[in-house]
Amino acid sequence: MSSEVIIRSGFQGLRYVDGRFDQVLDPGRYELPVRRFPSRRVPKVEILTVDLREREINIKGQEILTADKVAVRVNIITHFRVVDPVAAMERVADYGDRVYSDVQLAARRSLASMTLEGILTNRNQLSEDILRDVEGVSAGYGVEIIRADVKDLIFPGNLQDVMNRVLTAQRLAEAQMIEARTKADRERLAAEADAEAKRIRADAEVDALRRLADAAQAYDEHPALLRLRELETLGALGANAAARLYIGFDKHSDRLTE
């Protein structure tokens, strides 16, 4: 007569012979030795099954002080699985309890280093800190921490309302700063455009004066040019019927008497 053990999919078995670990058994059917004769001793064989499926632990109502001494209650959902069944069974008494305490302590360390404002504005950092803190430790007893998500953050009394008002005031201040910056940019652009227009007018005036100076110098060096200019001007005036011309004959009277 013999007995048997069946290990289902998603599990592994640890085979112990006379209390000593012998081997890891994959899913399947295994026979156990039985005593066939009363006088013959057979080794005592035990098979412990270990669940390798992903599991969840919900760590509820942990009240922790932040860096600015505010008491916060936090709920954390942790997903894990056994990756080394021998280490999980032999290095710790209960790997589920160990995961619970490791995540709890990691959450306390992380929250103690963060301010309340930092927690509210960057909630994912808490989850990332917890996972980074425990994943190396849990690997030592054969467990992989898949996720450590912060499900709830509960604040004492009316602190949540106070923080909401603070955040609202911060957003309003940021909006006002943006508006003031935009106004200052508009004023700066208007001032730059006005300065550019003044520069262009000044350059035009300088250019006009330069042209006049060049013309005066040319008339001084060549008087006939000035006389020609006078004749052109008289011709233009003569074409206008409303124009009146006054010629000073006294200036040329000495020439007329000769």
Side-chain angles (χ1 to χ4, degrees):
M1 182 177 180
S2 64
S3 62
E4 62 183 18
V5 172
I6 296 177
I7 300 174
R8 296 186 294 112
S9 296
F11 293 77
Q12 281 187 329
L14 302 184
R15 185 174 186 267
Y16 289 85
V17 178
D18 290 337
R20 292 187 177 184
F21 171 71
D22 181 53
Q23 64 178 350
V24 176
L25 304 177
D26 291 327
R29 183 193 301 270
Y30 298 91
E31 292 186 356
L32 299 178
V34 295
R35 179 181 296 182
R36 298 182 181 275
F37 303 100
S39 60
R40 180 177 297 178
R41 179 185 177 279
V42 296
K44 182 178 181 180
V45 177
E46 297 176 289
I47 297 179
L48 302 179
T49 58
V50 181
D51 191 346
L52 303 183
R53 297 171 299 178
E54 182 176 324
R55 297 171 58 185
E56 176 183 295
I57 292 180
N58 194 356
I59 303 175
K60 298 181 179 180
Q62 301 299 308
E63 186 167 313
I64 305 170
L65 286 178
T66 64
D68 45 0
K69 307 305 179 184
V70 177
V72 177
R73 294 179 64 191
V74 60
N75 295 333
I76 305 168
I77 296 179
T78 303
H79 294 261
F80 71 96
R81 65 185 174 191
V82 175
V83 293
D84 185 347
V86 177
M89 297 302 296
E90 296 195 351
R91 293 183 185 176
V92 292
D94 188 315
Y95 60 84
D97 289 344
R98 181 62 182 272
V99 169
Y100 187 100
S101 61
D102 283 345
V103 171
Q104 181 187 50
L105 292 174
R108 291 184 178 276
R109 285 191 290 269
S110 180
L111 279 173
S113 65
M114 299 175 66
T115 63
L116 182 59
E117 181 180 358
I119 295 170
L120 291 174
T121 55
N122 191 8
R123 183 169 170 173
N124 290 335
Q125 181 182 344
L126 179 57
S127 298
E128 294 169 359
D129 288 348
I130 294 172
L131 183 60
R132 184 170 52 251
D133 198 351
V134 298
E135 60 184 357
V137 176
S138 65
Y141 52 86
V143 172
E144 177 189 9
I145 307 295
I146 301 171
R147 294 197 310 272
D149 298 327
V150 177
K151 181 181 178 182
D152 298 306
L153 285 170
I154 304 170
F155 305 104
N158 64 344
L159 183 59
Q160 181 68 62
D161 294 335
V162 174
M163 290 305 300
N164 287 338
R165 289 197 295 271
V166 170
L167 291 176
T168 300
Q170 289 178 342
R171 294 190 187 99
L172 179 60
E174 291 173 358
Q176 290 174 342
M177 288 180 61
I178 293 173
E179 183 179 358
R181 190 180 298 115
T182 302
K183 181 179 179 182
D185 290 340
R186 287 199 301 266
E187 292 176 350
R188 177 179 56 81
L189 292 174
E192 291 177 353
D194 183 62
E196 180 66 14
K198 290 180 180 179
R199 185 189 65 79
I200 292 173
R201 287 196 298 268
D203 290 344
E205 291 174 357
V206 170
D207 186 62
L209 291 174
R210 184 181 299 112
R211 290 177 183 274
L212 289 175
D214 292 342
Q217 183 178 359
Y219 292 150
D220 183 63
E221 294 176 355
H222 305 282
L225 291 177
L226 180 59
R227 182 59 180 164
L228 179 61
R229 183 62 174 167
E230 291 176 354
L231 294 175
E232 290 176 351
T233 304
L234 290 173
L237 292 173
N240 187 353
R244 294 184 179 182
L245 300 178
Y246 296 92
I247 301 175
F249 290 98
D250 292 341
K251 178 180 179 182
H252 305 286
S253 59
D254 54 342
R255 296 184 181 180
L256 293 174
T257 58
E258 290 181 358

